[in-house]
């Protein structure tokens, strides 16, 4: 527990933050002020210092505001150049993951390629083999719009960088979720079975799709947003997060932390 009015770690926290950000416009006074009033900044510093194994934030303010402090203090995983948010829905008879629902407004093919690989890795951690559909208004070349071409370029990059992934596109949403329909449209599609990981071309399509599916599905389990690309187990929720959603994400953070440390460590 951190008491923002008095905590023996306060001086170390603000001095560390100032040292990290001194060349990015953060003065000593600003570091002192921010370290008292920004709970996400305090939590990020606790994770960085080893005072906490993970963090959940985001039920107040916006994703990008929280991600700003996470990026300053915790940063990205080695080899990652982008963050992304993935949401999951546990529906009758299927699980669906959607990415990127909250972070990148209009990701490039290179970013989508990296996001897809991170998302596939996370899906596997749930014990599910990812079957990935690059979703679009275009269906296997029916449109030459920039957004459709972006998804085709993403597929080409994935073929190069992650040839082991089961992925195909660009395709319509119904074709992604219905393997029989996909076989009718393109019998030689390299994606087998119903897709369970939907990669959308921009934040509008991803966020709208997730919220429509979540609301239409009723009382089924929603998990997320899961932050992909961070160096530590941290996740940014949304203002609409229910108690159940917070409990689900707490369990995920515990699993993340357990995977990051030796079995003897208590979380």
């Amino acid at each position: 527990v951190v008491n923002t009015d008095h905590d023996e770690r306060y001086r170390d926290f603000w001095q560390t933050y100032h040292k990290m950000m001194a060349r990015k416009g953060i003065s000593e006074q600003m570091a002192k002020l921010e370290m008292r009033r920004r709970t996400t900044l305090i939590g990020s510093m606790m994770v960085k210092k080893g005072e906490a194994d993970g963090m959940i934030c985001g039920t107040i303010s916006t994703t990008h505001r929280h991600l700003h402090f996470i990026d300053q203090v915790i940063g990205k995983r080695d080899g990652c150049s982008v963050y992304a948010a993935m949401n999951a829905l546990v529906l009758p008879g299927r699980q669906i993951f959607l990415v990127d629902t909250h972070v990148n407004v209009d990701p490039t093919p290179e970013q989508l390629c990296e996001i897809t690989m991170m998302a596939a890795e996370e899906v596997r951690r749930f014990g599910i083999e990812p079957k990935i559909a690059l979703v679009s208004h275009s269906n296997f070349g029916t449109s030459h719009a920039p957004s459709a071409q972006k998804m085709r370029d993403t597929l080409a990059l994935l073929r190069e960088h992650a040839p082991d992934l089961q992925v195909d596109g660009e395709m319509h949403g119904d074709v992604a979720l219905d393997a029989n329909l996909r076989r009718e449209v393109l019998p030689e599609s390299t994606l087998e079975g119903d897709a369970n990981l939907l990669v959308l071309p921009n934040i509008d399509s991803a966020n709208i799709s997730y919220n429509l599916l979540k609301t239409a599905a009723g009382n089924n389990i929603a998990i997320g947003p899961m932050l992909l690309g961070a160096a530590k187990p941290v996740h940014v929720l949304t203002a609409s997060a229910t108690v159940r959603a917070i409990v689900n994400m707490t369990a995920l953070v515990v699993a993340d932390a357990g995977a990051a440390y030796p079995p003897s460590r208590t979380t």
Side-chain angles (χ1 to χ4, degrees), residues 22-250:
R23 292 182 177 273
K24 297 182 179 180
I26 301 296
S27 65
E28 284 194 5
Q29 286 302 113
M30 181 61 71
K32 291 178 181 179
L33 179 63
E34 294 287 78
M35 196 54 70
R36 282 198 186 278
R37 67 179 181 175
R38 306 293 186 190
T39 53
T40 298
L41 179 58
I42 296 169
S44 296
M45 190 60 70
M46 292 179 72
V47 172
K48 180 178 178 61
K49 292 282 188 179
E51 299 281 347
D53 292 329
M55 179 179 71
I56 294 175
C57 60
T59 56
I60 298 174
S61 192
T62 66
T63 298
H64 287 89
R65 190 160 188 82
H66 291 281
L67 194 56
H68 171 72
F69 293 117
I70 291 169
D71 189 49
Q72 284 183 336
V73 177
I74 295 175
K76 299 181 182 70
R77 287 169 46 187
D78 290 342
C80 290
S81 64
V82 65
Y83 296 105
M86 182 171 73
N87 286 75
L89 290 168
V90 181
L91 305 176
R94 71 167 78 213
Q95 299 83 37
I96 299 176
F97 297 80
L98 299 94
V99 68
D100 169 20
T101 51
H102 291 86
V103 177
N104 297 283
V105 174
D106 188 18
T108 65
E110 291 76 15
Q111 289 174 325
L112 279 176
C113 176
E114 183 175 342
I115 290 167
T116 301
M117 290 189 290
M118 289 194 297
E121 179 185 348
E122 189 71 11
V123 171
R124 286 194 178 107
R125 293 184 66 247
F126 282 85
I128 298 170
E129 185 60 28
K131 297 179 180 292
I132 308 163
L134 306 179
V135 185
S136 171
H137 74 281
S138 176
N139 208 28
F140 299 112
T142 59
S143 170
H144 297 290
S147 61
Q149 184 60 52
K150 175 167 70 172
M151 303 311 279
R152 289 195 285 272
D153 292 342
T154 300
L155 179 63
L157 289 169
L158 287 168
R159 295 275 194 251
E160 178 184 352
H161 296 289
D164 60 315
L165 288 181
Q166 266 207 72
V167 57
D168 207 351
E170 82 289 5
M171 68 180 75
H172 289 171
D174 55 350
V175 174
L177 297 178
D178 187 338
N180 293 327
L181 180 57
R182 192 182 323 120
R183 278 194 294 269
E184 293 178 12
V185 173
L186 190 71
E188 63 269 27
S189 172
T190 56
L191 178 60
E192 299 178 2
D194 300 343
N196 54 28
L197 173 54
L198 306 182
V199 180
L200 288 301
N202 55 46
I203 198 171
D204 286 325
S205 56
N207 191 278
I208 291 169
S209 296
Y210 168 69
N211 281 295
L212 287 174
L213 284 170
K214 179 183 69 172
T215 303
N219 293 323
N220 292 285
I221 297 174
I223 305 170
M226 294 166 262
L227 183 62
L228 308 176
K232 297 285 186 177
V234 296
H235 298 287
V236 184
L237 307 188
T238 63
S240 63
T242 62
V243 171
R244 177 62 181 269
I246 296 171
V247 170
N248 288 340
M249 290 306 295
T250 302

